[in-house]
Amino acid sequence: MEKVKMKIPDFKKYKEEGKKYTFVTAYDYTTASIVNESDTEIILVGDSAAMVMLGRSTTVGITLDEMIGFIKPVVLGAPDTMVIGDMPFGSYNINAEQAISSANRILMETGCDCVKLEGGETVAPTIRRIVDAGISVVGHIGLTPQTATSVGGFKVQGGTPEGAAQLIRDAKALEEAGVVAIVLECMPSMVSKAVGEAVSVPLLGIGAGPYVDCQVLVTQDLLGMYNGFKPKFVKHFAGIRQEMVAGLNRFHEETLNGEFPSPEYSFNKSVEIPKLY
Ligand code: KIV
């Protein structure tokens, strides 16, 4: 069946229909084209690119220009998939004008469908301004990697009654600010369920259990490509890293034993070579 691109109004439609969907990351043209060929509905070009693509230890240093550089080829590679562009740290925390200007750049320079930014109650007024400027926004609460150090590192959030209550307040504030959906990252399933009971906006969960509308994973994690830290919520649905290493080793071995390149992989036209030596 031909893939039909998910559009922004489908967030609401899928919620009403109770339809589940998936959302993964991509940071380059080739990966985006592979995701585009799959049934996946949404690609996020996340600031996780800082760690997965650039080998940095946090997402904090990636710039707006670097993010735009990652988002552009993904949009080209995935014409049938919704693409969300992540707003990096420092691109929306000065004032609403700066946030609107950064969101404008992401949409206008890349052609992606909407932007995502991290934060709850405190960021909601900024989100309202971006939404009022005509830009669709996905919120992101729970474990928010850009500010993870201020909550004691990469830890499950909402594990106390106060923490759970704050997440509910954050989700309500984002809903009121007009987000089209909210990413819930790394929280007990009971808490994401309670958030879902408190708001009617679609919930996109990563490490947030089963009671959400959409499951999110980083592509390099779910395909078993990334060899760094593996959080509890990451399931490997394939072993691509091993496949890649095995393929590279076959290439190496066949080069050393002369099996490659055989005539099949060589240009075999005979040419009369002038005697120059
Ligand atoms: O940057 C990212 O990959 C993300 C996802 C983990 C949701 O924000």
Side-chain angles (χ1 to χ4, degrees):
M1 214 170 60
E2 204 189 320
K3 186 168 177 179
V4 178
K5 178 173 170 164
M6 178 176 173
K7 308 268 181 13
I8 298 294
D10 291 327
F11 276 118
K12 197 160 177 271
K13 183 164 168 268
Y14 291 178
K15 178 89 185 170
E16 282 161 8
E17 292 169 353
K19 178 180 152 95
K20 294 227 171 199
Y21 44 103
T22 57
F23 159 165
V24 302
T25 54
Y27 317 102
D28 67 283
Y29 176 86
T30 304
T31 310
S33 73
I34 294 168
V35 176
N36 195 60
E37 220 173 292
S38 77
D39 296 329
T40 307
E41 287 84 354
I42 307 173
I43 294 178
L44 167 73
V45 189
D47 61 357
S48 49
M51 296 163 90
V52 177
M53 300 304 285
L54 302 176
R56 299 180 188 159
S57 58
T58 110
T59 60
V60 172
I62 196 161
T63 64
L64 185 58
D65 285 338
E66 284 176 319
M67 281 307 301
I68 288 172
F70 282 117
I71 302 167
K72 270 185 193 171
V74 170
V75 171
L76 294 178
D80 311 312
T81 310
M82 176 188 289
V83 178
I84 303 176
D86 218 0
M87 297 186 68
F89 182 78
S91 70
Y92 57 92
N93 59 357
I94 296 178
N95 53 39
E97 284 67 35
Q98 181 220 16
I100 295 169
S101 154
S102 302
N104 278 344
R105 278 199 63 200
I106 292 177
L107 283 203
M108 292 166 72
E109 293 181 33
T110 72
C112 71
D113 298 285
C114 56
V115 298
K116 174 176 87 60
L117 58 146
E118 296 183 5
E121 272 185 322
T122 54
V123 180
T126 303
I127 292 184
R128 177 81 258 169
R129 294 286 305 279
I130 302 175
V131 171
D132 287 345
I135 296 167
S136 299
V137 177
V138 172
H140 182 165
I141 58 173
L143 174 57
T144 45
Q146 292 176 8
T147 48
T149 43
S150 61
V151 292
F154 287 75
K155 285 189 179 152
V156 176
Q157 300 296 304
T160 60
E162 304 77 55
Q166 183 58 50
L167 287 173
I168 293 171
R169 281 197 293 274
D170 286 336
K172 284 180 154 186
L174 294 185
E175 180 170 51
E176 274 165 32
V179 297
V180 292
I182 304 173
V183 171
L184 299 184
E185 181 164 356
C186 224
M187 63 187 67
S189 308
M190 269 185 73
V191 175
S192 62
K193 189 165 183 272
V195 172
E197 284 159 8
V199 297
S200 54
V201 68
L203 300 178
L204 322 170
I206 173 162
Y211 310 112
V212 289
D213 302 279
C214 167
Q215 289 295 330
V216 182
L217 282 176
V218 169
T219 298
Q220 279 75 0
D221 284 340
L222 82 95
L223 294 181
M225 293 167 81
Y226 186 61
N227 67 343
F229 174 66
K230 179 183 166 305
K232 174 178 162 67
F233 60 80
V234 169
K235 177 172 176 179
H236 286 166
F237 291 87
I240 300 302
R241 189 181 185 90
Q242 281 145 287
E243 270 293 301
M244 288 172 93
V245 173
L248 291 164
N249 284 343
R250 279 198 298 277
F251 170 49
H252 187 259
E253 186 187 327
E254 290 188 21
T255 296
L256 266 58
N257 69 20
E259 219 178 300
F260 181 84
S262 60
E264 189 188 351
Y265 298 103
S266 307
F267 299 105
N268 303 311
K269 184 175 189 291
S270 78
V271 179
E272 193 181 321
I273 308 292
K275 263 258 165 267
L276 297 176
Y277 53 91

